Amino acid sequence: MAGGLCAGVWLALFLLLSIIHSSSSRSFAIDWKNNVFLKDGEPFRYISGSFDYFRVPRFYWKDRLSKMKAAGLNALTT
Protein backbone atom coordinates (compact mmCIF):
# COMPACT_ATOMS: atom_id res chain seq x y z
CA MET A 1 0.00 0.00 0.00
CA ALA A 2 2.78 2.45 0.90
CA GLY A 3 4.55 1.67 -2.38
CA GLY A 4 1.41 2.53 -4.34
CA LEU A 5 0.99 5.79 -2.44
CA CYS A 6 4.63 6.71 -3.07
CA ALA A 7 4.25 5.92 -6.77
CA GLY A 8 1.10 8.07 -6.88
CA VAL A 9 2.89 11.01 -5.28
CA TRP A 10 5.74 10.74 -7.78
CA LEU A 11 3.23 10.56 -10.64
CA ALA A 12 1.45 13.67 -9.36
CA LEU A 13 4.80 15.45 -9.01
CA PHE A 14 5.80 14.46 -12.55
CA LEU A 15 2.49 15.67 -13.99
CA LEU A 16 2.69 18.96 -12.12
CA LEU A 17 6.28 19.51 -13.23
CA SER A 18 5.46 18.77 -16.86
CA ILE A 19 2.51 21.19 -16.80
CA ILE A 20 4.56 23.91 -15.16
CA HIS A 21 7.51 23.30 -17.49
CA SER A 22 5.30 24.03 -20.51
CA SER A 23 4.58 27.53 -19.20
CA SER A 24 7.61 29.85 -19.30
CA SER A 25 6.25 32.51 -16.90
CA ARG A 26 5.83 30.06 -14.03
CA SER A 27 8.44 28.34 -11.92
CA PHE A 28 8.71 25.27 -9.75
CA ALA A 29 11.69 24.32 -7.61
CA ILE A 30 12.65 22.32 -4.56
CA ASP A 31 14.28 24.20 -1.71
CA TRP A 32 16.40 21.39 -0.28
CA LYS A 33 17.79 23.58 2.48
CA ASN A 34 14.36 24.42 3.95
CA ASN A 35 12.74 21.15 2.81
CA VAL A 36 9.86 22.74 0.84
CA PHE A 37 8.53 22.93 -2.70
CA LEU A 38 8.46 26.39 -4.28
CA LYS A 39 5.78 27.24 -6.83
CA ASP A 40 6.32 30.63 -8.47
CA GLY A 41 8.75 31.43 -5.65
CA GLU A 42 6.24 30.75 -2.87
CA PRO A 43 6.17 27.71 -0.53
CA PHE A 44 3.79 25.07 -1.86
CA ARG A 45 2.31 22.00 -0.17
CA TYR A 46 0.76 19.10 -2.04
CA ILE A 47 -2.66 18.00 -0.90
CA SER A 48 -3.27 14.88 -2.91
CA GLY A 49 -6.06 12.39 -3.32
CA SER A 50 -6.83 9.34 -5.39
CA PHE A 51 -9.67 8.82 -7.86
CA ASP A 52 -10.37 5.28 -9.02
CA TYR A 53 -12.24 6.17 -12.21
CA PHE A 54 -13.01 2.53 -12.98
CA ARG A 55 -15.03 2.27 -9.75
CA VAL A 56 -17.19 5.31 -10.48
CA PRO A 57 -19.67 5.53 -13.37
CA ARG A 58 -18.54 8.12 -15.93
CA PHE A 59 -21.69 10.17 -15.30
CA TYR A 60 -20.40 10.96 -11.77
CA TRP A 61 -16.77 11.84 -12.67
CA LYS A 62 -17.29 15.60 -12.93
CA ASP A 63 -19.17 15.64 -9.62
CA ARG A 64 -16.50 13.66 -7.79
CA LEU A 65 -13.62 15.73 -9.21
CA SER A 66 -15.43 18.97 -8.33
CA LYS A 67 -15.90 17.75 -4.76
CA MET A 68 -12.22 16.82 -4.50
CA LYS A 69 -11.20 20.28 -5.70
CA ALA A 70 -13.66 21.91 -3.28
CA ALA A 71 -12.07 19.88 -0.47
CA GLY A 72 -8.74 21.57 -1.23
CA LEU A 73 -6.91 18.90 -3.23
CA ASN A 74 -4.32 20.26 -5.65
CA ALA A 75 -2.96 16.94 -6.92
CA LEU A 76 -4.70 13.77 -8.02
CA THR A 77 -3.72 10.21 -8.80
CA THR A 78 -5.79 7.74 -10.76
Side-chain angles (χ1 to χ4, degrees), residues 19-21 23-28 39-40:
I19 290 169
I20 291 173
H21 181 67
S23 174
S24 62
S25 65
R26 301 175 98 181
S27 67
F28 183 83
K39 181 179 173 186
D40 300 329

Side-chain angles (χ1 to χ4, degrees), residues 4-40:
L5 179 61
C6 184
V9 169
W10 282 111
L11 176 62
L13 178 61
F14 173 78
L15 292 174
L16 181 65
L17 288 174
S18 58
I19 290 169
I20 291 173
H21 181 67
S22 66
S23 174
S24 62
S25 65
R26 301 175 98 181
S27 67
F28 183 83
I30 300 174
D31 182 353
W32 296 103
K33 193 173 196 177
N34 295 315
N35 199 28
V36 336
F37 294 113
L38 298 174
K39 181 179 173 186
D40 300 329

